Every structure is written in structure tokens, then in C-alpha cells.
Amino acid sequence: MSSRIDKVIARQREKIADGAYYEAHQQLRVIAVRYIKQSNYDAAAEILAGGAKELLKAGSQQGASASGGDLAIMLVLEVYNKAEWEISGGNDDAEGRARKKRLIELLREFPSDEPTRKRFIQEMIGWSAKFGPLERGDPDLHHAVGSVYAEDNEPYDAEKHLTLGTSESAETLAKLEYEWYTSDEPHTAAIYASRAVFPYLLTGNIRSANKALLIFTSRLAAANPQLGVQDVSSASSDARVFPALPLVNFISMLLLAIQRGSADLFRQLTAHYATQIREVGIWDDALAQIGEQYFAIKIPRQGNPLMDMMSGMLFGGQNKTGGRGASRTAKKVEAPPSSMELD
């Protein structure tokens, strides 16, 4: 079977080399559909992956890469999903790793400006979420996607995926944020460092948060000796202090507070740096979530004065002190009469 498939792909490769992209695309689809109808998903996968790879390599001329993207998407939708190929995530899941590798190799063939790439990524992550152990998708696939976006200098898209990636993703994200920072003002270092740290904290990945900050600050210190960085060590921890960048120090001490599980230290930190945090203007929600997640500091739920007033009117304005005189049941609100007459 494999030799027959190799011959099919070789023939279509010749067509693609001759510029017959549309013809090759259509024939590959027809052949793949035939195998899918026979439930021969392995053969269909080889046909679609091989054809997609050749068309993507041909570039955007005459829609070649778009045709390749179409075959890649078909591979996920019509083969991976219909075959219900699963990912166990274990070390013994050789088939799962091979199937992920095929998708990652295809991903790397996409030109950065090919519109079908985004759809392929969505379907690939969606398949791994549906048939894998994690609802948010497979970490290896997230890392691959995030790395591709990082190489293409697409930081926002890279962040979304690297945050959900592997243990290697923290380094990729930290390097990306640092490179991004170098195009901005020197005093903005903490903002970019936080983009590498806070997402990991919010997903419960403390190890990656620490790793990301270490890599970011190491690069920052090496490239800026004039900052006068001080290394402070104690029996329980080591810290790198930036006298000129107080919010970088705040992030470092925030991680220390999380490791110690000290709500008091967290409160002291946020109070001490309140002015600088306020000037940043975008950390409030993240810090509130971190406070609740790691220190059991409940996020204040803002009441609606109008709704509070209406509740009091409709439900009898119960005694809020909760004493013995408080009503244990809400008063019944009687319906108005069906007709109202004026005296």
C-alpha cells in the first residue's frame, strides 16, 4: 500500500513541479476521499499530508499554498476527526506522537502570509482538545504554533499558545518578550516581563513563570550593565534587584510571595508599589486574579445600587444585621389588581 501511495504522491509532485497546481489539488482530494470512504484513514492521511506539503512548498503562486492549506485542513477534519484518533499523552503513545509530528511538520511548511494557516491551526488544536486529555489542547501543538508565531514576529498570537505549551515554551516566550521590549522605552521592561510571567501564573504554572522571569531578567542585565543590578541571596531564595526598575523587582517578589503562600506579603507588595502599578494601568485585573488564586483574597464583587434598591422593595427589605428580629423568609409581593379604578 505504501508503495502505491508513494507513486500517487510522486505523480502529483510532477504535476506541481509543472505548475498544474489546481489539477494536482483536485486529484489528491478525489483519491483521499476514496480512501476515507473505505475507512482507510492511514492511507488518506499519507495522501493528504504528502500533497499538502508539496503544494505549500510551491508558495502562493496561482493559489498553490491555498490548495495545500485546503488539503491540510481536510486532513484534520476528514481523517483525524472522523477516525477519532486520540492522544493519550503518555510516553507509550507512539502513534499519537507520530500524528502530532505530521501536523507540526505541515504547520512549518505554511508561508507566514497564507490565510488558510489560521484555520489549520484552529482545527489542529480543536482536534487535540477533543481527542486528547486536555480541554485547552495539546501542549506540544501549542508550543509548535507559538514558536511559529514568534518566528514570524506575531507576539500576540504567540503569547496565546506559548502560555499553554510545554516546559520549553517559557524560554521562547521570555525571549520573544525581551526582543519586543528592546523596541520600546527602557523603563517599560516590567510591562514586557509581566507578559511573560502573569499568563503562566494565571494558568497555575509557577515553574514556567519563574523560568520566564529568570530568562528575561538575565538578558536585561547582560545587555544593560549600567542598570547596576544587584544579586541578593538568602537561605531560602536568590533575587536579582534592579534599583532603576522597581516594577521588575515587584514581579520578582510577587513570585517569592506565591512560593511562600504569604497573603500578608502580597498585600504589602501591592500596597508598597501601588503608585507604580496604578501608572501601568493594566495589571489590576491580573493581580486581583492572582490574589484570589494563590492567597484566597476574594475579588470584591461590585453591587448594583439600583438592583439592591429594587431587591429591597420587592423582597421586603430584610434586616441586614441578621439578628433575631430578621425575617427568615422574604415577604410575598402581592400582584396588583387586574383593574384599577380611580376614586
Side-chain angles (χ1 to χ4, degrees):
M1 178 64 70
S2 181
S3 60
R4 183 187 301 177
I5 293 172
D6 290 341
K7 289 178 182 178
V8 170
I9 295 174
R11 283 197 298 271
Q12 301 310 318
R13 186 183 295 120
E14 291 176 2
K15 287 186 172 66
I16 293 167
D18 292 337
Y21 308 123
Y22 179 78
E23 181 182 353
H25 173 226
Q26 292 302 305
Q27 288 187 7
L28 286 163
R29 282 188 67 95
V30 169
I31 296 168
V33 167
R34 188 184 308 148
Y35 282 120
I36 291 168
K37 287 181 177 179
Q38 298 170 0
S39 296
N40 190 344
Y41 294 111
D42 288 317
E46 287 189 49
I47 291 288
L48 290 171
K53 187 174 183 180
E54 296 301 324
L55 284 165
L56 288 168
K57 282 182 176 179
S60 59
Q61 53 186 335
Q62 299 179 43
S65 60
S67 294
D70 175 72
L71 294 182
I73 293 167
M74 183 179 177
L75 170 66
V76 181
L77 292 178
E78 300 298 321
V79 177
Y80 278 57
N81 283 342
K82 284 190 174 179
E84 298 183 352
W85 282 345
E86 296 182 345
I87 311 171
S88 70
N91 293 329
D92 57 346
D93 185 20
E95 283 189 341
R97 288 198 300 273
R99 287 162 182 162
K100 287 191 294 184
K101 182 181 177 183
R102 178 192 286 136
L103 296 180
I104 291 170
E105 288 175 350
L106 272 181
L107 171 66
R108 292 199 165 276
E109 295 294 345
F110 274 82
S112 60
D113 59 350
E114 172 49 50
T116 57
R117 184 175 74 171
K118 187 172 288 290
R119 171 77 186 282
F120 174 69
I121 289 170
Q122 291 172 347
E123 299 299 346
M124 176 175 69
I125 298 296
W127 161 74
S128 72
K130 185 176 182 180
F131 295 103
L134 298 174
E135 288 186 11
R136 62 193 185 190
D138 183 78
D140 291 325
L141 296 182
H142 277 298
H143 177 73
V145 173
S147 298
V148 165
Y149 278 132
E151 291 166 9
D152 292 343
N153 199 27
E154 296 285 350
Y156 294 113
D157 288 321
E159 288 172 338
K160 296 174 187 176
H161 292 281
L162 291 172
T163 300
L164 303 176
T166 67
S167 58
E168 298 175 1
S169 300
E171 181 174 359
T172 305
L173 180 56
K175 289 179 178 179
L176 171 67
E177 299 295 355
Y178 183 78
E179 290 304 315
W180 197 8
Y181 156 67
T182 57
S183 299
D184 207 336
E185 297 296 324
H187 69 275
T188 62
I191 295 175
Y192 293 91
S194 72
R195 297 185 74 95
V197 174
F198 287 0
Y200 284 124
L201 291 180
L202 293 172
T203 55
N205 192 342
I206 300 174
R207 178 175 295 181
S208 288
N210 278 284
K211 182 178 180 180
L213 182 64
L214 176 61
I215 292 169
F216 187 97
T217 54
S218 295
R219 292 199 159 206
L220 180 63
N224 300 276
Q226 74 279 8
L227 289 175
V229 182
Q230 302 168 7
D231 290 320
V232 179
S233 299
S234 68
S236 58
S237 63
D238 297 324
R240 182 175 279 136
V241 178
F242 293 80
L245 299 170
L247 285 181
V248 173
N249 302 329
F250 167 78
I251 296 173
S252 180
M253 287 186 281
L254 172 63
L255 290 173
L256 181 61
I258 289 172
Q259 291 169 19
R260 293 181 177 177
S262 173
D264 288 340
L265 180 54
F266 175 75
R267 290 191 181 95
Q268 291 171 16
L269 281 174
T270 51
H272 181 75
Y273 291 95
T275 301
Q276 292 96 327
I277 291 171
R278 198 177 304 116
E279 289 174 356
V280 172
I282 56 174
W283 285 4
D284 292 349
D285 289 343
L287 291 176
Q289 292 287 343
I290 289 169
E292 185 170 78
Q293 185 172 338
Y294 292 98
F295 306 107
I297 300 173
K298 295 297 182 183
I299 299 174
R301 310 298 179 188
Q302 292 186 351
N304 185 319
L306 178 60
M307 291 302 295
D308 291 343
M309 181 180 69
M310 292 297 292
S311 177
M313 291 171 62
L314 293 175
F315 299 107
Q318 296 179 43
N319 186 344
K320 294 184 180 179
T321 62
R324 291 188 179 182
S327 172
R328 293 185 179 273
T329 58
K331 293 182 180 179
K332 183 178 179 180
V333 179
E334 295 182 355
S338 57
S339 63
M340 298 182 67
E341 297 179 357
L342 294 175
D343 291 334

